[in-house]
Structure formats: structure tokens, C-alpha cells
Amino acid sequence: MAEARIGVFVCRCGTNIGGFVDVPALVEYAKGLPNVVFSQENLYTCSEAGLTEIRQAIADHQLNRVIVASCTPRTHEPLFRSTCKAAGLNPYLFEFVNIREQCSWVHMHEPEAATEKARALIRMGVARAKLLEPQEEIEVEVLPSALIIGGGIAGMTCALSLADRGFEVTLVERDRTLGGRLKDLYTLSPTQEDASDLLAGKMASVKANRNIEVLTSATVRAVNGFFGNYDVTITQDGTDIPFKAGVIVVATGAEEFKPQGMYGYDGKKVITQLELERLLKADRFDAENIVMIQCVGARDAKRPYCSRVCCITALKNAMILVERNPKAQIVILYRDLQTYGTVYEAVYRKAREAGILFVKYAPQRPPVVNGSVVTVFDGLLGEELLLPYDYLVLSTPLIAYPDSGELAKMLKVPVDEYGFFLEAHVKLKPLDFATDGVYLCGSAHWPSTVSESIAQAYGAASRASIPLSQRRVRAEPIIAVVDEEKCIGCGLCELICPFKAIRLEDMPGGRIARTLVASCKGCGVCGAACPQRAITMRHFTDEQMLAEIVALTEER
Amino acid sequence: MLVIGGGIAGIQAALDLGDMGVQVHLVEQEPSIGGRMAQLDKTFPTNDCSICILAPKMAECFRHPHITLHTYSEVTAVSGNMGDFSVKVLKKARFVKEEACVACGDCSAKCPVRVPDKFDLGMRQRGAIYMYFLQALPMVMTIDRENCLYLTRDVCRICEKVCTRDAIDFEQKDTEIDLRVGAIIVATGFDPFDPVGLSEYGYRRYRNVVTALEYERLICASGPSGGHLLRPSDRKPAQTLAFIQCVGSRDVRHNPYCSTVCCMHATKEAMLAREHDSAAHSYVFYMDLRASGKGFQRYVTRSQEEYGTTYINGRVAKITEDLEGNPVVWYEEPLGPATVKMKVDLAVLATSLVPRRGTEALAKILSVEVDKYGFFKSDPLTPYESSRAGIFVCGCCREPTDIPESIIQASGAAAKAAEIVAGGSC
């Protein structure tokens, strides 16, 4: 390839970088680095103005390498790569240097040191960019079918949306019947519609849809393969069922926390909201004095999060109790009432008008249960209240299923510290995973109401339908390449590959390792382990990495 | 497909549909796509820079082969039925040739007119020819016909003279376009509630009482003070800040509903004040602290522990002003002393999210119902369906929602719209 002609664009990112790092100094510094023929700063490199300047500079200065020193490749690399591509430059001749997350944000109180670090990172980027090679993306065919894991309201809704658009769906539910948490609910907030009506309707639609295959009492045992072509093994009644799917949606839901040992919980007179719903559904509830306690096992040291749905559920159930028995006296002990939005706030107002009492307690002085009396310090009155009860209802949070981690491992997707599945980007990609081809909806993501689960299920259906509609997807060419001359067929790479993407094959001259192009994620584990140094990572070659390290150690 | 509204929800809906291979028309009334998210400085609970994460999406939308953008345009009539709607779109004249303008800004610098800039909520002046904002897309200038000297008084034409690209075109006329679409997604978003009517807070009477959206512009690098947190009256650094929650929200006199996002944006804004100035201290006055989304509670804890934000449970009774122009916040704390007066440098009002101006008129054009608060009506169990088949709603035009929720809903509405195309009725 011709001599490298590198252009370096340093982004101010408003004040995000420019407020802490000396951007003009970085531009001057970059100009002095080997092979750099052009450098400039941008207020926002990612704005259309910045992108136009990149395209212009590629043409004006015959750049054959482009470096942007700005933010994170997670959100911006595709944009800059496509900008290079539009200007006729192979997108893999683009190099990203992160001087925001790695400099200005973490070292905002040491601007000089942050600038020094940014210099080093740019120097490293330039050293690597010089050695970059053009790469061609790999095209993979997408099978027009989806696997949906979890047959609750989210899974069923998602299945129906995809199936109605002509895609084949396999809906896997580990329980004996579909329905998930919806099966235990009595009515739905805020309309008080019967939960079983919604469930029956959805189940009938799923059953009638010939594009949906339902597998109940079934669990996912293994997921192999890759985006567009997953090999899935489902276990049902002890038998393994193998099948293929193009995309996967996680809709496994969450479960109610059981407050063992808290507030005298016994499942009889001291019960959870879900247990109350079952009693209401069976018409086996009759009481006049009811006390509800919010945030039982939530917003505490062990589970610091707010579970979003419990206040709404408590209000809904309290309203049912008042309607059934106008003489009922209901007191709800709460910390912050979470009736966000237009509809739930209206329910809250109605509940107050209906005579339901709300008592705010502080976490430092939680209610105390003595026999059939709850004692609580009212944070507004400044007095202790004694509340006798027939039933004490504890609002407990939704928690992740204990085995969500296992499923996450199979799908190679992350979970957060509470066990909920972690999306690709909290703000911009709430329904996608960082792993392409796997999507997320419902309470598996975060505690959600039935309405929110439905909303998310359609959203996940949209996201999953994109590769299914495109039929082909492009995969990154960043994969392991085996030098067949050097490979001795020891099989270490096959043993340690977390993606089952490299395996030994019998060849005339003996066994050698081969990469399965579409499965390989380019993680580099095989390359690091290979005793023969026969494996190179494309776009992250030893030579490129070493050049960066050498540049780091160089004097400025 | 037609998507009305080019904020984050409209952009996401258009992108999802475009990526499915569906042809999309995206209509935006302002000169640029971007919406409210473009006006925010950072976003909770990650403190990501708002425009930084929005700009790539805007660019993707702008360049998408299946998306046709109609900015500075409005939907004026809709007829037909699900699967085959006829839509009239009024494309307002910019008096600037989009293909010739390179947004160099020479014209705007020479324009003799100075009017308050809408994007910066009147806190900055702009010319009658202007860019909507720095990262606007399409990246072209627009002449505002209400204020241009030539268009109102037949004098000037300076912009025409200074433009080296011959991009000014005073002959441009408003045009009407006819579109035929299978389904319509409405994503017209929200306006911030105008708190002038809440006279007890002194908004407009006291210069150092601002709304939360004004505060977002004040701390933003591309905002009117270049990212320095200076209070409006004397441009002194604001170090003691009061964030007043539920201004217009949860208030039977105005908007009885909860606006959902304010507890979190106040938390973010308090953290940002400290990031701008390590001596800054923020007080958040709240009724119920609503932090029920993913990572929200932890964010509040971080604000308290790492940024020293003080949360005070109580509704502020009134704000007065002392002789130095400092807002004085009057409040009562549960079980605290009777009335406390707190002097601050800047008071920030978390105003409600209300339907965009023009929502009612658009509802009439679309023949869809609005709810009692003026948001587009939808049912909790069919969250995207409006009262008319084939017209779907998402984002803040149906209920106040945060950005991730708006994105979820945009994708969801796209799925519903795509079902119509798949059904063969388009």
C-alpha cells in the first residue's frame, strides 16, 4: 500500500473535551507526528459540519488513514466509518482514539495530565493507523425465524407481532402453560380489566397463529451458532429438540420477592400483593382493616432499587378492596409514591378521595409489627400511629430469576448487579443487546407493568424484524486468521474458544485449526493462547498492537 | 409511511421502518430534526452528552436511503383510511436554496435584525437569517419571514449580497406536497409548561428564576453562555441552587398528572452544577421522589453522596427576591420549624411537560381523539393505537416519558405500522 497519509480530527465535544483538555495543543502535536499530513479541531466532529470536513480533507489532502480523537466507538464508530466509506476510503482505515471517557471525563480535575494522556493516546493511534489494512465486511444470511424465550405477556405479544408480519416464531415457556406473571394477576391497572380476559385473548391468538410454534414445559439448554443462524437446543420432557433461528428475543420476566422473616410474613394474614391478588381472584378475601407496607425488601441496602410496579399494584388492589367493601379501612405505608405519568397519578388522587389513608414513613424508622397491630411513625404528623389489621399486605419488589445468569451466559449477553438483563445502551438502545441479533423486553429488563411490557414487546419485535427483513446482515471482519504453515494442530484454541468458533479439521498434512467465520467474535483468546503464534487477529494484529505499545513508551 | 415529528421518537420510528426496507416520509415543523433532546445538555442516568449521542442518529436519519425528510413542513390535511392515506404537507419557504447553502454563517453575521433565538429559549439573539442550532440537519440557513426586513418592509437584502454561493432566494414560495402512505406515526412531543401563571414563583418577574429547560441551555457548551453556569441577572457564577419540583404538575389548578421525568432531570442538573463548579450546592424540593426507572435510584444516591445534593421533602410555597436579586425560597419541611427562607443564587423550576402547541389542531386534521390533558389518546393495553385505525402515537405526545421509553415506544409504533404493510393493505 502507498505511504500512509494520516488525518487527525480532534473533537472538542462542546466542553466535554474542550473544557478540560487543551484541544488546540493536541492538533499542533498531531501535526508533528510521523505520517500525519493534516490535523484540525471540530466543535462536534459528529455533526454534519464535522463529517463534511472529514470528507473534504480526505479529498483535499489525499488522506488514506483517518483518526478521530473524540468519544466512544460504541456510539460513534459506525458513523465515522461510514463517513470514510462515503469519501471512498475503506472504513477499516479509520482509527478511533477516545479522549473523552479516557481523558476529559475521568481526569477532569487534572486538565494538564488529561492533555498529556490524550497526547499519548493520539501518538498510539497514529502508530497503529499507519499499519491498518483495508478489510471487507462479511455477509451472513439471516434465517427468517425468531426464538422467543418466555411465554408471558411480553413474549406472547412479541411473537404475535413478528408472526403477523410473516416470520416464523418459536415461543418457549418453561411453565406448563403460557401466561407468566399475568396468570396470577386479578385485574390490571388502571382500567381494572380482568387479567384473565387479556390472557385468554392473547393465548387464543397465539394458538390460532400458524406462524407460531409454542413449546411449553421447555427450557433452553444450549445456544450455539451466530447472528442470523443460531443453533438452539430446547429440552422438553427430557428430550432435546434442536432447531435454528435467525434472531432471539429474551422475554423471561421476573418474580415477586418473598419477604421471609420480614414484618411477620406468614402467607396467611401477612401476605404479599401477589398473594392478595390470588385471594381476590378466588373471591376468598374478606376483611375490614387492611394495612399495606411499601418497599418491603426494596430500596434497602440489599436491593437498593425501586421496583416501579409495586405502588401502582398496591393502589389498584386497595381500590378493589374499597369497592368491594365500602366500610373497609385501608392504610398504605409508603416512602415515595411512584405514580408517574398521567393515568397512575389520577388513580392515586381517586384513592385519596375514596378514603384510603397514606402514611409516609422514613427508612430510618420503618413500621413495626406486633401481633395484629402495626406501629408506624408518621413523618408528616410527627406522631406514632397504632394500626390494627386483619390483613397486612407487603409490597415486595420484582426480582430477577436466580437462573437468569445462566441464560445470559448461553446467549453471551450481560446482566446487571441485580440480575436483570443489561441492554446495549441505557439511553439509546433499550431493547437491543450489545450482541447483535439478540433483543430484550418486559420485566427481564426491568420491573414493568403489563402495559409497559406490551409496549416493549412491540418495540423488541420491531428491532428483531430489521435483520429478518433485510435477510442478510454484515458482520465485522475482525476475526481470527490461522496461518496453516505454523499451526501444529494442538487443539488448544478449540478448547478455549468461548464461541465454539474455531475447530480442528483433518487435512492431508495433518490436523489444523480453522475459524468459523460467522461465529468468531475476534475476542483474541485463541491468538493469545496459541503456542505457535499461528493465529492473528484481523484488524488487531500483533504488529499493530506492538506499534501502539512502543509509541506509548516513546518520549513525546 | 408517514412519521410526524422529528425528535428522538420520530427519528427512531423512521430509522426502524427505514431499516426494515419501508419508505418513510418524516415531517418536522422546525427547520431541523432533533427535537427537545437536541436542547438538553446531558441525559440521566448516565450523564451522556445529549447532542453527542443524538447527532449520529440524526445523521443516520438524514442520510438513510429509505427516509425522505420534510423539515420546516407541516401536515395540513389527511384523508383516506388505514393502508391508504392521502396526506397534504405544506413545505414552508426557507428563502434559502437547500442544495446551495453550506451554512457558512456569513449572512447571519451581517443580518441587521436581532431577535430572540427560539432554540436557546430567548436567552440569545439571532439574525432573521439563522441556523436553528449548531448541529442542525439539514445544515442550511433559514430566513424567518416575520422578522426579515426585506420580506416585511422591502429593504435590506444584505444576506443576498454577502452570500458567495448564491443561495438566497426571495422568490421561493411555500409548496404543497401530496403523499400517499399506508400508516401514520405521530411523535410530536411536548412543550414545557409556561410557569408565568404560577405567580408565587415569580418567573419572568425575577431574572434568576429559570425553567429547567432554560437551565439546560445555560449549562450547555453550545448554549448562550458557552457552558458557564452564570445567572441571568448579573452573570455571576450560580453556586447555591434550588430545584423546585412539580411546577404545574401534580397541581389540580394546572396539570394534575405527574410529568415523570422531572425528579431525574433535577437530579442530573444538580450534579452538573457541581461538575461545573466544585463549590456549587444544590437543594431539590420534591413531593415524592420518583426514581423508578432502571438505574435511577442509584443515580439519586450518587447525587447525594458524590455531589452533595440535598433533597428536601416539601412543596415550595413561594419565591421572593432580595435586594441583590437573589431568589429567596420559602418552604416548610415536615416536622421542621414553621417556615424556612433560603437565599439562593438561582432557582430552577421543573415545569410540567404539556402537549406541543398545535396538538389539538393536528388531532383535528388526523381525526383522532386527545385525552383530558390534551395528549393523544391511547389505551394502556394497546399503547400505540390512536382512536383511528392506521394512526399510531408514541413518545411524549401520548404521555410524558423519558428518552429510553420514547425510543421503546418509537420502535413499538414502527412494529404496529409495519404490520399494516405486511398485511398487504398498502
Side-chain angles (χ1 to χ4, degrees):
Chain A
M1 216 178 154
E3 176 82 356
R5 294 178 61 80
I6 304 175
V8 180
F9 298 83
V10 186
C11 181
R12 300 188 73 92
C13 195
T15 52
N16 279 296
I17 297 171
F20 309 98
V21 168
D22 187 347
V23 170
L26 292 179
V27 170
E28 281 315 302
Y29 176 72
K31 282 180 181 164
L33 292 170
N35 296 75
V36 174
V37 296
F38 178 77
S39 182
Q40 74 164 95
E41 63 172 75
N42 310 101
L43 186 57
Y44 293 98
T45 312
C46 61
S47 67
E48 189 58 29
L51 302 178
T52 307
E53 281 168 353
I54 293 178
R55 285 190 290 263
Q56 195 63 42
I58 291 173
D60 291 351
H61 302 276
Q62 298 89 51
L63 303 180
N64 56 18
R65 305 283 192 287
V66 169
I67 295 177
V68 173
S70 61
C71 53
T72 165
R74 285 187 70 182
T75 52
H76 283 60
E77 192 167 59
L79 179 69
F80 294 131
R81 276 190 181 165
S82 67
T83 304
C84 289
K85 199 174 168 188
L89 195 63
N90 183 286
Y92 289 85
L93 298 174
F94 166 76
E95 172 72 7
F96 216 125
V97 175
N98 186 343
I99 58 168
R100 192 180 69 180
E101 279 83 343
Q102 294 175 10
C103 296
S104 64
W105 278 0
V106 281
H107 307 299
M108 59 169 61
H109 302 300
E110 304 157 275
E112 275 169 31
T115 304
E116 193 51 46
K117 185 175 173 186
R119 276 199 192 96
L121 291 174
I122 291 174
R123 186 164 71 233
M124 291 164 73
V126 168
R128 180 172 133 81
K130 215 166 114 178
L131 301 173
L132 288 176
E133 288 164 5
Q135 307 287 348
E136 292 309 319
E137 283 177 340
I138 302 159
E139 271 213 345
V140 186
E141 199 182 326
V142 180
L143 300 172
S145 59
L147 163 68
I148 296 178
I149 308 170
I153 185 67
M156 287 191 290
T157 305
C158 187
L160 282 166
S161 181
L162 285 171
D164 283 346
R165 289 174 54 201
F167 304 113
E168 278 173 31
V169 178
T170 305
L171 182 59
V172 176
E173 167 56 50
R174 67 170 158 195
D175 206 351
R176 278 180 296 122
T177 56
L178 293 174
R181 196 157 52 89
L182 195 56
K183 282 184 296 202
D184 292 321
L185 298 185
Y186 172 46
T187 59
L188 304 170
S189 186
T191 53
Q192 301 284 23
E193 279 164 83
D194 212 325
S196 47
D197 288 349
L198 173 68
L199 180 58
K202 284 278 176 201
M203 281 172 72
S205 303
V206 167
K207 208 173 170 187
N209 197 308
R210 54 197 168 86
N211 285 339
I212 304 177
E213 187 191 357
V214 178
L215 297 173
T216 49
S217 306
T219 51
V220 178
R221 200 172 67 85
V223 179
N224 291 309
F226 44 87
F227 178 23
N229 196 342
Y230 287 106
D231 288 307
V232 185
T233 310
I234 302 290
T235 305
Q236 189 184 39
D237 303 326
T239 30
D240 282 355
I241 307 166
F243 69 94
K244 283 179 168 289
V247 296
I248 298 173
V249 180
V250 177
T252 47
E255 63 178 345
E256 188 195 47
F257 170 68
K258 292 279 173 236
Q260 299 297 351
M262 301 174 82
Y263 298 109
Y265 171 68
D266 59 6
K268 292 180 191 116
K269 292 290 174 188
V270 184
I271 59 178
T272 66
Q273 290 288 355
L274 204 59
E275 287 160 356
L276 170 63
E277 299 239 5
R278 285 199 201 112
L279 291 177
L280 289 169
K281 201 170 184 169
D283 206 7
R284 288 199 293 116
F285 189 86
D286 186 28
E288 279 201 1
N289 294 307
I290 301 116
V291 177
M292 295 183 177
I293 306 177
Q294 300 305 107
C295 298
V296 174
R299 297 179 69 193
D300 60 11
K302 201 165 175 208
R303 255 166 253 96
Y305 65 91
C306 161
S307 167
R308 193 168 175 94
V309 300
C310 343
C311 283
I312 294 165
T313 306
L315 279 176
K316 181 204 70 174
N317 289 342
M319 287 299 280
I320 294 171
L321 296 176
V322 171
E323 277 157 26
R324 282 196 178 182
N325 179 2
K327 280 192 291 178
Q329 182 61 59
I330 302 163
V331 188
I332 298 181
L333 315 183
Y334 73 103
R335 287 173 55 188
D336 290 284
L337 212 80
Q338 305 289 332
T339 47
Y340 52 90
T342 52
V343 283
Y344 300 127
E345 183 70 17
V347 176
Y348 180 28
R349 182 160 291 109
K350 257 196 196 152
R352 281 187 175 270
E353 286 163 5
I356 295 167
L357 294 180
F358 292 82
V359 176
K360 190 172 171 105
Y361 74 90
Q364 301 83 358
R365 290 184 82 164
V368 176
V369 179
N370 268 322
S372 59
V373 177
V374 182
T375 310
V376 63
F377 182 78
D378 186 322
L380 293 175
L381 282 177
E383 278 174 28
E384 203 153 73
L385 306 179
L386 299 177
L387 306 167
Y389 68 85
D390 303 324
Y391 271 95
L392 176 61
V393 186
L394 307 178
S395 295
T396 59
L398 286 176
I399 55 172
Y401 283 108
D403 54 359
S404 64
E406 283 168 42
L407 178 62
K409 244 184 219 157
M410 264 189 263
L411 297 169
K412 298 173 193 83
V413 298
V415 291
D416 69 10
E417 70 238 73
Y418 315 122
F420 292 106
F421 284 87
L422 187 61
E423 62 273 38
H425 192 280
V426 179
K427 210 71 193 172
L428 289 185
K429 285 194 164 181
L431 302 162
D432 299 44
F433 282 107
T435 309
D436 289 329
V438 191
Y439 307 90
L440 174 62
C441 59
S443 291
H445 166 250
W446 193 249
S448 315
T449 64
V450 170
S451 170
E452 286 164 349
S453 294
I454 292 172
Q456 292 177 28
Y458 282 115
S462 175
R463 302 299 299 160
S465 76
I466 291 170
L468 295 176
S469 315
Q470 289 173 345
R471 291 165 191 249
R472 301 184 79 79
V473 286
R474 286 173 176 275
E476 290 249 37
I478 304 170
I479 56 164
V481 183
V482 182
D483 182 341
E484 299 190 358
E485 296 285 302
K486 287 188 189 164
C487 177
I488 54 169
C490 70
L492 189 56
C493 50
E494 181 177 338
L495 197 68
I496 60 171
C497 175
F499 303 101
K500 299 190 178 75
I502 194 161
R503 62 171 174 232
L504 291 184
E505 282 179 10
D506 287 320
M507 300 295 283
R511 303 209 305 160
I512 58 161
R514 277 275 171 86
T515 310
L516 300 172
V517 173
S519 304
C520 179
K521 302 277 175 209
C523 71
V525 168
C526 56
C530 178
Q532 289 297 101
R533 296 196 173 186
I535 301 177
T536 315
M537 307 316 298
R538 228 186 245 164
H539 201 58
F540 286 94
T541 65
D542 289 355
E543 208 190 354
Q544 290 164 356
M545 306 303 284
L546 282 171
E548 279 197 81
I549 295 165
V550 170
L552 173 63
T553 60
E554 275 170 5
E555 291 296 312
R556 40 180 295 224
Chain B
M1 295 286 169
L2 170 67
V3 177
I4 308 174
I8 183 63
I11 288 173
Q12 186 65 49
L15 282 175
D16 270 25
L17 287 167
D19 285 347
M20 290 172 202
V22 177
Q23 293 296 329
V24 186
H25 292 277
L26 176 59
V27 174
E28 164 61 49
Q29 63 175 358
E30 300 295 348
S32 167
I33 55 169
R36 292 286 174 205
M37 190 176 166
Q39 290 178 293
L40 305 181
D41 181 43
K42 302 277 168 70
T43 60
F44 60 78
T46 51
N47 283 2
D48 270 311
C49 154
S50 190
I51 189 67
C52 309
I53 57 174
L54 175 65
K57 288 235 175 212
M58 287 168 59
E60 209 184 326
C61 188
F62 181 68
R63 289 200 236 137
H64 202 290
H66 297 147
I67 301 173
T68 311
L69 278 188
H70 305 277
T71 47
Y72 214 40
S73 301
E74 280 165 27
V75 171
T76 53
V78 172
S79 59
N81 290 305
M82 176 169 85
D84 187 13
F85 288 108
S86 296
V87 180
K88 282 198 189 303
V89 174
L90 177 74
K91 212 170 161 56
K92 290 176 280 184
R94 282 177 198 269
F95 306 103
V96 172
K97 295 176 204 153
E98 283 189 30
E99 59 297 342
C101 177
V102 291
C104 64
D106 288 351
C107 50
S108 173
K110 293 278 156 46
C111 176
V113 176
R114 291 285 112 183
V115 289
D117 179 83
K118 183 178 173 186
F119 187 81
D120 274 339
L121 306 162
M123 294 186 290
R124 195 167 53 84
Q125 302 282 304
R126 63 157 171 84
I129 183 162
Y130 69 107
M131 272 273 280
Y132 189 56
F133 61 100
L134 204 62
Q135 298 89 342
L137 277 183
M139 208 179 148
V140 291
M141 312 301 291
T142 303
I143 294 177
D144 129 31
R145 65 184 75 182
E146 271 92 55
N147 292 298
C148 171
L149 291 179
Y150 177 65
L151 292 171
T152 53
R153 279 181 260 163
D154 213 14
V155 290
C156 187
R157 297 185 90 146
I158 292 177
C159 50
E160 213 172 31
K161 290 178 201 108
V162 297
C163 182
T164 54
R165 313 266 311 183
D166 201 16
I168 310 291
D169 177 9
F170 283 113
E171 300 306 310
Q172 228 175 53
K173 296 270 178 297
D174 292 351
T175 48
E176 202 172 62
I177 313 167
D178 291 305
L179 303 174
R180 285 188 72 185
V181 297
I184 299 172
I185 294 176
V186 187
T188 48
F190 71 95
D191 273 337
F193 170 73
D194 181 356
V196 161
L198 278 162
S199 58
E200 61 268 37
Y201 291 154
Y203 179 70
R204 291 272 183 241
R205 206 160 63 240
Y206 310 136
R207 292 190 66 194
N208 296 325
V209 176
V210 300
T211 67
L213 196 60
E214 286 168 350
Y215 178 87
E216 294 280 345
R217 295 313 302 151
L218 276 179
I219 49 171
C220 185
S222 58
S225 53
H228 299 286
L229 183 48
L230 307 173
R231 61 186 205 166
S233 72
D234 49 13
R235 300 187 66 74
K236 276 191 189 147
Q239 291 191 317
T240 310
L241 298 100
F243 291 89
I244 323 288
Q245 299 308 106
C246 299
V247 177
S249 305
R250 303 187 70 190
D251 182 338
V252 287
R253 298 170 302 169
H254 300 280
N255 308 305
Y257 54 85
C258 163
S259 288
T260 307
V261 299
C262 330
C263 284
M264 296 313 294
H265 72 58
T267 297
K268 170 193 72 180
E269 286 152 7
M271 288 162 96
L272 294 178
R274 176 64 72 91
E275 270 184 10
H276 280 243
D277 185 342
S278 57
H281 195 108
S282 296
Y283 299 85
V284 179
F285 296 88
Y286 70 99
M287 291 167 63
D288 287 282
L289 201 75
R290 293 191 170 163
S292 62
K294 193 165 186 166
F296 289 4
Q297 197 67 49
R298 189 174 48 192
Y299 190 63
V300 171
T301 307
R302 206 175 126 211
S303 175
Q304 288 169 314
E305 290 175 358
E306 292 175 33
Y307 293 79
T309 309
T310 307
Y311 289 83
I312 297 173
N313 189 201
R315 195 155 190 155
V316 169
K318 65 174 172 182
I319 299 174
T320 53
E321 193 180 54
D322 71 7
L323 294 173
E324 281 95 50
N326 299 306
V328 178
V329 176
W330 299 54
Y331 68 98
E332 270 179 40
E333 234 182 318
L335 315 183
T339 307
V340 187
K341 287 184 270 183
M342 183 194 281
K343 188 185 88 173
V344 298
D345 298 326
L346 189 69
V348 183
L349 308 180
T351 51
S352 320
L353 275 53
V354 298
R356 274 260 184 195
R357 213 169 45 153
T359 298
E360 213 183 325
L362 182 61
K364 278 209 182 98
I365 291 169
L366 296 169
S367 306
V368 299
E369 288 171 33
V370 294
D371 68 15
K372 58 185 163 189
Y373 312 117
F375 293 106
F376 288 107
K377 202 169 177 175
S378 64
D379 185 84
L381 297 184
T382 50
Y384 303 118
E385 267 134 88
S386 73
S387 57
R388 183 173 175 190
I391 299 183
F392 305 99
V393 293
C394 63
C396 285
C397 71
R398 58 179 287 274
E399 187 180 21
T401 39
D402 60 17
I403 293 167
E405 200 71 33
S406 295
I407 289 178
I408 288 169
Q409 292 182 14
S411 287
K416 293 300 294 177
E419 283 176 19
I420 292 175
V421 183
S425 48
C426 177

